[in-house]
Amino acid sequence: MILDEWKRLYSNTKTNFREVAIKGFWDMYDPEGYSLWFCDYKYNDENTVSFVTLNKVGGFLQRMDLARKYAFGKMLVIGSEAPFKVKGLWLFRGQEIPQFIIDECYDMELYEWKKVDISDEAQKERVNQMIEDQEPFEGEALLDAKCFK
């Protein structure tokens, strides 16, 4: 998998997103060279102000800049009223989250990380929904979706 090719496809797909970008992702995806991870913010009960929650996610993405050549991520802020939920999907080079990211980006410990089992169709569909910012997501409105590419 060439990560930059996926990022270009994601960025340049304007119509038929599921048919073009999502299908392209799975065609490119190399499960031996890369791994997918779900993350859930551990302290969603604190997310009572929308702009503060959005700033929290934006700051996390800025601090992840060191991983630009090793990762792609989608962060969703979910809910139409407080408390807002923050959930993410990350693609990392390798089978584990690179240690240098864990060491350098202190926000990593604020999230619960779970490796995606791509043989589970429900988890694979959740990946698709997160990549395309499907709304409603898990029955709730999306406040915002941010991409790390």
Side-chain angles (χ1 to χ4, degrees), residues 25-26 29 31 33-40 60 64 70-76 87-99 101-102 108 111-118 123 126-127 130-131:
F25 173 78
W26 291 113
Y29 182 63
Y34 287 82
S35 56
L36 286 162
W37 296 79
F38 293 128
C39 67
D40 289 296
F60 172 52
M64 285 293 283
Y70 301 89
F72 170 86
K74 288 299 297 268
M75 295 297 292
L76 307 180
K87 297 177 186 240
L89 168 73
W90 287 83
L91 170 70
F92 290 111
R93 188 175 293 169
Q95 289 304 300
E96 297 299 324
I97 299 170
Q99 189 61 45
I101 297 172
I102 295 168
M108 295 293 286
Y111 293 86
E112 177 130 358
W113 295 88
K114 181 180 178 230
K115 194 171 191 177
V116 176
D117 175 3
I118 61 167
Q123 288 188 38
R126 187 172 190 242
V127 168
M130 293 181 93
I131 291 173

Side-chain angles (χ1 to χ4, degrees), residues 37-51:
W37 296 79
F38 293 128
C39 67
D40 289 296
Y41 190 67
K42 293 179 183 176
Y43 309 103
N44 283 322
D45 55 318
E46 297 175 1
N47 295 334
T48 57
V49 180
S50 61
F51 78 88

